[in-house]
Amino acid sequence: MSSLRFTEEDFRTFTIEGLDARMSVLKETVRPKLQGLGDHFAPVLSALTGDEMFVHVAKHARRSVNPPDDSWVAFANNKRGYKKLPHFQIGLWETHVFVWFALIYESPLKQEYGQLFKKRLPDIESNIPSRFFWSADHTKPDAKRQSEMNEKDLENLFERLVNVKKAEALCGIQLSKDEVLQMSEEAFLSEIEAAFEKLAFLYRLTQKVSV
């Protein structure tokens, strides 16, 4: 593969009308790049976390009508799946690339993680750069920069993990399409790796929760 950096064509995939047409292009152009990013970063994340990380490229297999608005590769310490586990993601929407640490609603330990994150909120604020984003829903592109959130906002996000069944918490960076298109592949990969180095702190926190 010539490059792991996303291109104009990759972003344009999510403007193609129709499930079959969009999935055809996604499989041909975007998915191999996601797999390549997975192969590149799995050993990086394994070293950062101390857990062997396995690569999971989104298949969108359950879709029968609506085409996906984004796609991603996830990393988790289980080769069979990632949704129930604290995990990392690299992916893209039509407008931007995201790099996440993610706790999503399938997690059976979501309450415990929420309680721990509330308790360690000062440490999270000091270890996660203020320019990073937080999201409460992985299915939507919306996210809020930490610098625009106060301590109560973060506490509420973690409290929802404890009390709301469908609640989620994701943290990471967003790179606009224009930013990505202007980057070299080396700069793109370096930006992702730097984000993972910071986000590994959140993963290490989850390792303190007993399964």
Side-chain angles (χ1 to χ4, degrees):
M1 184 181 296
S2 59
S3 177
L4 295 177
R5 182 184 63 83
F6 295 113
T7 64
E8 178 77 49
E9 180 185 13
D10 297 326
F11 289 103
R12 200 161 46 234
T13 300
F14 300 101
T15 67
I16 296 170
E17 296 293 332
L19 175 63
D20 291 342
R22 189 176 301 182
M23 284 301 302
S24 176
V25 175
L26 194 154
K27 289 176 183 177
E28 183 179 337
T29 64
V30 178
R31 190 174 290 174
K33 199 163 289 186
L34 292 171
Q35 183 66 55
L37 288 166
D39 295 340
H40 179 87
F41 282 108
V44 173
L45 286 166
S46 296
L48 286 171
T49 63
D51 283 347
E52 183 177 4
M53 288 288 162
F54 298 92
V55 177
H56 303 271
V57 178
K59 296 294 195 293
H60 309 289
R62 295 180 182 177
R63 290 184 175 271
S64 58
V65 178
N66 297 319
D69 292 321
D70 66 328
S71 196
W72 61 90
V73 57
F75 306 83
N77 67 349
N78 188 306
K79 65 174 61 177
R80 297 183 63 185
Y82 67 93
K83 292 183 178 181
K84 293 183 177 182
L85 301 167
H87 63 274
F88 300 91
Q89 299 178 10
I90 304 168
L92 71 166
W93 297 77
E94 175 191 349
T95 53
H96 65 274
V97 166
F98 56 85
V99 180
W100 289 133
F101 165 80
L103 297 170
I104 61 176
Y105 71 89
E106 287 95 334
S107 170
L109 296 175
K110 198 157 58 67
Q111 289 184 320
E112 289 86 345
Y113 295 140
Q115 290 166 344
L116 176 63
F117 278 28
K118 281 177 59 182
K119 182 178 178 181
R120 298 293 297 271
L121 201 155
D123 294 329
I124 291 172
E125 286 186 302
S126 62
N127 280 275
I128 298 300
S130 60
R131 66 182 180 86
F132 277 36
F133 289 84
W134 290 89
S135 169
D137 188 341
H138 80 279
T139 67
K140 298 178 180 178
D142 308 323
K144 195 168 185 179
R145 202 180 292 271
Q146 183 167 295
S147 60
E148 299 171 348
M149 304 171 72
N150 57 37
E151 191 171 286
K152 188 63 177 176
D153 293 330
L154 279 173
E155 186 178 340
N156 288 341
L157 181 67
F158 302 149
E159 183 68 31
R160 281 177 53 81
L161 286 178
V162 177
N163 295 317
V164 179
K165 185 176 181 180
K166 291 291 187 179
E168 301 183 341
L170 300 93
C171 180
I173 62 170
Q174 294 188 337
L175 303 171
S176 72
K177 179 177 75 170
D178 289 342
E179 283 182 275
V180 173
L181 296 181
Q182 292 170 13
M183 286 179 171
S184 65
E185 178 179 12
E186 182 181 7
F188 180 62
L189 297 177
S190 294
E191 190 79 18
I192 295 172
E193 184 164 349
F196 282 149
E197 287 172 355
K198 295 295 185 181
L199 295 173
F201 171 78
L202 297 176
Y203 185 88
R204 289 192 293 269
L205 280 184
T206 66
Q207 290 174 309
K208 300 180 185 297
V209 173
S210 299
V211 178

